[in-house]
């Protein structure tokens, strides 16, 4: 299989993986683990008070999502850079 064909197939699979949950679960609420953990804790102990509060509280949920996405993007960039650096060193080592 040609590399370009394989890349196109991978992009199509990625689009399907993103689109199918959004189409099938249209009324679903997409939340994070923090919210689910908070619900479970309040179910177990309704008198529970958090022992720590964040230093900076984002003004809205959208800003919180933006910061979370930015954190994920930076992490993915660091991991991608690391793997690219290792692969480049390996390829340069094979040429010598």
């Amino acid at each position: 299989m040609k590399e370009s064909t394989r890349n196109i197939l991978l992009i199509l699979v990625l689009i399907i993986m993103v689109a199918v949950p959004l189409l099938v679960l249209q009324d679903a609420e997409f939340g994070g683990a923090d919210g689910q953990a908070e619900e479970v804790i309040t179910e177990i102990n309704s008198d529970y008070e958090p022992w720590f509060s964040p230093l900076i509280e984002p003004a809205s949920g959208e800003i919180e999502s933006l910061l979370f996405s930015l954190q994920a993007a930076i992490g993915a960039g660091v991991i991608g850079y690391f793997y690219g650096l290792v692969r480049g060193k390996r390829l340069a080592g094979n040429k010598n």
Side-chain angles (χ1 to χ4, degrees):
M1 182 181 297
K2 290 174 55 177
E3 187 172 340
S4 62
T5 304
R6 185 175 42 183
N7 289 340
I8 291 171
L9 286 174
L10 287 173
I11 290 170
L12 287 174
V13 168
L14 177 67
I15 290 171
I16 290 170
M17 288 175 61
V18 170
V20 166
L22 293 175
L23 294 174
V24 173
L25 304 171
Q26 290 183 354
D27 296 331
E29 182 176 324
F30 293 98
D34 295 346
Q36 292 178 352
E38 185 178 344
E39 288 178 14
V40 171
I41 290 171
T42 54
E43 284 179 14
I44 294 171
N45 183 3
S46 60
D47 297 331
Y48 176 77
E49 292 184 26
W51 56 273
F52 181 79
S53 61
L55 300 175
I56 299 171
E57 189 76 29
S60 67
E62 289 82 12
I63 294 174
E64 186 176 348
S65 296
L66 171 70
L67 292 174
F68 184 77
S69 300
L70 183 63
Q71 177 186 358
I74 290 172
V78 168
I79 291 171
Y81 175 78
F82 173 75
Y83 280 113
L85 182 68
V86 169
R87 183 167 188 239
K89 284 184 177 179
R90 186 180 306 146
L91 290 175
N94 288 340
K95 288 182 181 178
N96 293 332

